[in-house]
Amino acid sequence: MASTYDHPGEQAAQDPIRLLAIRDTPLSVDEVFAAVGDDAAGGIALFVGTVRNHDGGADVDTLGYSCHPTAEAEMRRIAEKVAADFPVRALAAVHRVGDLAVGDLAVVVAVSCPHRGEAFEACRKLIDDLKHEVPIWKHQKFSDGTEEWVGAC
């Protein structure tokens, strides 16, 4: 009998990137979750980033995201790297731009892999690299009248 790791389902899919987008409309966890469904996946890890009501000890009233025209291409580059480094069966990532309210979804990413550990690691790598490398900027307005720009998410 062959090793379980010899099964094709244990390997990365040929084209695992199922959904990448930057949108000015509300995001859907269900859409991202559905995009990474795969019969060979034993684990799906999903991260949802929401707008919180505070940052750095100050109350946040409103927040807006904007991005550089190359942002989606950078998302693809990062997604391809994650897919190359992990046995990814499917991967999806969407990020919101425009004005958001406290509680709104800002980013949703998901990865499916043959096993849960791989899915967790790949999902964490995906969100961490998106946050640090994709040219998306956050403009926060605080209750005390101050505001700030935060680079790369």
Side-chain angles (χ1 to χ4, degrees), residues 14-83:
Q14 290 293 333
D15 186 17
I17 300 171
R18 306 273 176 84
L19 171 64
L20 290 176
I22 295 176
R23 297 184 176 154
D24 61 0
T25 56
L27 305 182
S28 166
V29 172
D30 291 338
E31 176 190 26
V32 174
F33 182 75
V36 297
D38 188 287
D39 288 345
I44 295 174
L46 183 127
F47 173 81
V48 179
T50 59
V51 177
R52 64 181 178 265
N53 68 357
H54 68 280
D55 190 35
D59 292 334
V60 172
D61 282 345
T62 62
L63 180 145
Y65 285 102
S66 59
C67 69
H68 190 271
T70 62
E72 275 195 41
E74 284 299 302
M75 284 178 74
R76 177 159 296 279
R77 181 187 62 77
I78 290 164
E80 288 171 350
K81 176 83 168 94
V82 169

Side-chain angles (χ1 to χ4, degrees), residues 8-152:
E10 294 290 330
Q11 310 304 316
Q14 290 293 333
D15 186 17
I17 300 171
R18 306 273 176 84
L19 171 64
L20 290 176
I22 295 176
R23 297 184 176 154
D24 61 0
T25 56
L27 305 182
S28 166
V29 172
D30 291 338
E31 176 190 26
V32 174
F33 182 75
V36 297
D38 188 287
D39 288 345
I44 295 174
L46 183 127
F47 173 81
V48 179
T50 59
V51 177
R52 64 181 178 265
N53 68 357
H54 68 280
D55 190 35
D59 292 334
V60 172
D61 282 345
T62 62
L63 180 145
Y65 285 102
S66 59
C67 69
H68 190 271
T70 62
E72 275 195 41
E74 284 299 302
M75 284 178 74
R76 177 159 296 279
R77 181 187 62 77
I78 290 164
E80 288 171 350
K81 176 83 168 94
V82 169
D85 291 347
F86 296 90
V88 174
R89 299 299 305 172
L91 178 150
V94 292
H95 201 295
R96 180 91 184 267
V97 292
D99 295 329
L100 285 76
V102 170
D104 283 349
L105 305 184
V107 60
V108 182
V109 301
V111 177
S112 62
C113 291
H115 303 280
R116 71 179 177 275
E118 300 158 342
F120 279 126
E121 290 176 32
C123 189
R124 182 173 189 119
K125 180 73 170 156
L126 178 62
I127 189 59
D128 286 351
D129 288 356
L130 287 176
K131 184 170 177 65
H132 292 103
E133 298 179 33
V134 176
I136 296 174
W137 303 281
K138 177 171 59 174
H139 183 211
Q140 300 183 112
K141 294 183 181 178
F142 300 101
S143 296
D144 65 5
T146 61
E147 56 186 68
E148 76 173 345
W149 284 91
V150 180

